Amino acid sequence: MRRLLILLFSGLLLGSLSGGAEPWTDNDLIQPAQAAKDLKTPLIIHVGFPVLYRSTHITGSVYAGPGSKTEGIDDLKKAVAGQPRMREIILYCGCCPWDKCPNIRPAFAALHQMGFTNVKAMVLPANLKTDWIDKGYPTDKHADADK
């Protein structure tokens, strides 16, 4: 377990030092309008901060903790425990502008390190409010996120 974390964080550090190559390809990204068409089939996981999840989150999503923290990655692993490696998973954060988000990249990389092959990162260019809530896509409020 410790070796996996060291490899994961080393890879993220090297990636940021070598020009910051993204951990995904264009095929690994999903736009909000596309994701909103089917919220029941994929496992949708919020990898942002608990206060955001508690206030408003995507309908049917589960909370896994911030991807920027070791505890959040541990919670993400628990959230996908027992899932088939080919399960469709959509990760989202929405805490801040997409290009500055501290959570989505480590969470995406961790799932790939675990062997998940059908992971998508939802592109929220500004934040969850602007790119999902204000567009009228389905949300839930006041859920339990004790992290």
Side-chain angles (χ1 to χ4, degrees), residues 4 10 28 30 32 50 57 69 108 125 131 138:
L4 175 64
S10 297
D28 297 322
I30 188 167
H57 58 271
K69 299 181 179 283
F108 184 90
D131 301 312

Side-chain angles (χ1 to χ4, degrees), residues 13 26-27 29-30 33 41 46 49 61-62 75 88 93 95 106 109 118 125 135:
L13 177 61
D26 288 345
N27 290 335
L29 302 177
I30 188 167
T41 303
H46 184 257
F49 302 105
S61 66
V62 298
D75 289 339
E88 182 181 3
C93 179
C95 69
N118 194 10
K135 294 189 178 188

Side-chain angles (χ1 to χ4, degrees), residues 31-33 36 124-125 127-138:
Q31 299 298 318
L124 298 167
N127 55 50
L128 184 66
K129 181 182 182 320
T130 301
D131 301 312
W132 186 274
I133 299 167
D134 289 351
K135 294 189 178 188
Y137 298 134

Side-chain angles (χ1 to χ4, degrees), residues 66-137:
S68 60
K69 299 181 179 283
T70 302
E71 303 83 30
I73 296 297
D74 290 342
D75 289 339
L76 177 62
K77 291 175 182 179
K78 290 175 192 169
V80 299
Q83 296 293 327
R85 294 298 188 243
M86 293 191 64
R87 172 77 193 268
E88 182 181 3
I89 298 172
I90 297 175
L91 299 176
Y92 78 98
C93 179
C95 69
C96 60
W98 171 255
D99 59 340
K100 299 191 182 331
C101 180
N103 298 307
I104 195 81
R105 288 160 184 82
F108 184 90
L111 289 184
H112 273 269
Q113 287 282 332
M114 294 173 66
F116 286 92
T117 59
N118 194 10
V119 180
K120 303 277 186 199
M122 187 183 309
V123 178
L124 298 167
N127 55 50
L128 184 66
K129 181 182 182 320
T130 301
D131 301 312
W132 186 274
I133 299 167
D134 289 351
K135 294 189 178 188
Y137 298 134

